[in-house]
Amino acid sequence: MPEWTLPSSPTDLRVLVSGYQSWSEAELRPLLDRQSVPLMPWRWQQGHDPAFLPSGEAGVWRSHTLLALIRPDGGGWVGCALDAASTFTHWEARADGNGVRVTCTLEGPPVEVAWEETPDVIGAVERLSADLGRRMNARTPAPLRVWCSWYSYYRNVTLDAVLDNARLARELDLPFDVFQLDDGFQADLGDWLEPRLSFGGHVQDLPARLAELGFTPGLWLAPFLAAPTSRLFRDHPDWMLRGEDGSPLPVGHNWGGPYFTLDTTRPEVLDWLRDLARTVRGWGFPYLKLDFLYGAALPGVRHDPSVGRAQAYRNGLTALREGAGEDAFLLGCGAPLAASIGLVDAMRTGPDVAPLWDDESRRLWLGDASGPSTRNAVHTSLARWYQHAWYQPDPDVMIARRELSLLGHTERHTLLGLLDTVGGLRASSDPIELLDGPGLELLRASLRLSTPERPRTLTQSFGGTVTHFTRGTFNLLDVPAGGIPPHGYREREA
Ligand code: 9PG
């Protein structure tokens, strides 16, 4: 295990960390702050890597794939894995008396890891992350503009609601490329090909009608998951990832109860995944949002114990890519970030946006900043600005509507600032009929593509993440800072 001792006083340093998967926190913090870990163990599987959790300690910071320590002069140290296809790279920085100890542990076959002292941390982070992207054949196709059903219809989505929005979008000439149906159409988790009654139709009927309107049809799947009530589980209980006691391992608690995940070291599971992706592609969905992907990489008892977690995950994702086809557009979500490079076209880089700013009780009292909130989404995606070298980043949707939302004017514009800063995919979920003139204007602004921004500095921050970019500054604090209101974003004057 490589280990380094830095001769810098811990009081002088900041640390840049990135959590394991899409929804795990990424931060820029004083090294002596405490890295929080959710109090509820059931959140560990869904928001983190249970095998390498945030430390929960002051002065001890854990990060996946990449870690940086920043001195007050902007120089410092950067470590980065140079391959993540079958190995997880775990970094830890630990304040230790007058110095700092950094360790790097690998879970999986040995891979090359970079560790550098540099006068320019921002530049080194970008260069090493680009190296990793190149070595893993990162896919970075042109970004797309997506309407997604989740953030207003949630699980009550209907075939008609999607089509009504698509028709209105066409009438108003809104520049969406993709109309993507999210969770709520399927009979059960795992039973993707059978409709749920309340959806009011069959998902198979959607692509032709969307294509007629000039949109690319998109579909959400959580392809590795199976509910205990599903036909998939009933027919193949032996396909599930297991716990030490031999029974299927519960891997999360959405959908009102526990669910299981497929063991992707089984060849018949890989066949099933390939067929699933091929089938929905054949129905006319070339755009797939593949969600809750973390399941296949969880610690557990696998059919083939010689396959490591990262490799098992990658085998599952590879089967989906093979079934969907090389030219399908795959968006990963709830996914181990670096292990997905080269297989997905785009990746969610933060927790879900929500029509509210902060879920304070969950974040501060329960230590869980991976739950849905606009603050959590902005905070995390900003600290991952460099990951555009790995795929098209998806910082999640704009919320332009004023109805059915608790966001204020300032907060809506901060969300717009996030999209503009991160670049990558653009998405919206607003029911288009709810948008008045200013709402439509804000939506159109959010669909304007931009190139990813660079931080201006990592030595200052208005709120625990990277907030100072070349085009503008974010204030994620609850008090004014630098002349910017709480939760605000201000563009720099030219
Ligand atoms: C569909 C949704 C949407 C959304 C995804 C994902 O950790 N959590 O509490 C948590 C809740 C919801 C969630 C992710 C994490 O949402 O990100 O875009 O597709 O699933 O069920």
Side-chain angles (χ1 to χ4, degrees), residues 21-23 42-43 46-47 148 150-151 154-155 180-184 186 189 220-222 253-255 259 289 291-292 294 331 333-334 348 350-353 362 368 370-372 394 396-397:
Q21 57 122 311
S22 306
W23 306 324
W42 63 268
R43 286 295 305 169
Q46 203 176 320
C148 153
W150 182 247
Y151 301 84
Y154 297 98
R155 229 155 275 152
Q180 179 245 311
L181 171 61
D182 215 281
D183 187 6
Q186 72 280 5
L189 269 191
W220 174 94
L221 297 169
H253 293 262
N254 273 28
W255 299 281
Y259 46 85
K289 173 175 172 184
D291 205 353
F292 290 80
Y294 69 89
L331 165 64
C333 189
R348 258 290 279 294
D352 290 17
V353 162
R362 179 163 167 182
D368 181 15
S370 63
D394 168 21
D396 212 8
V397 297

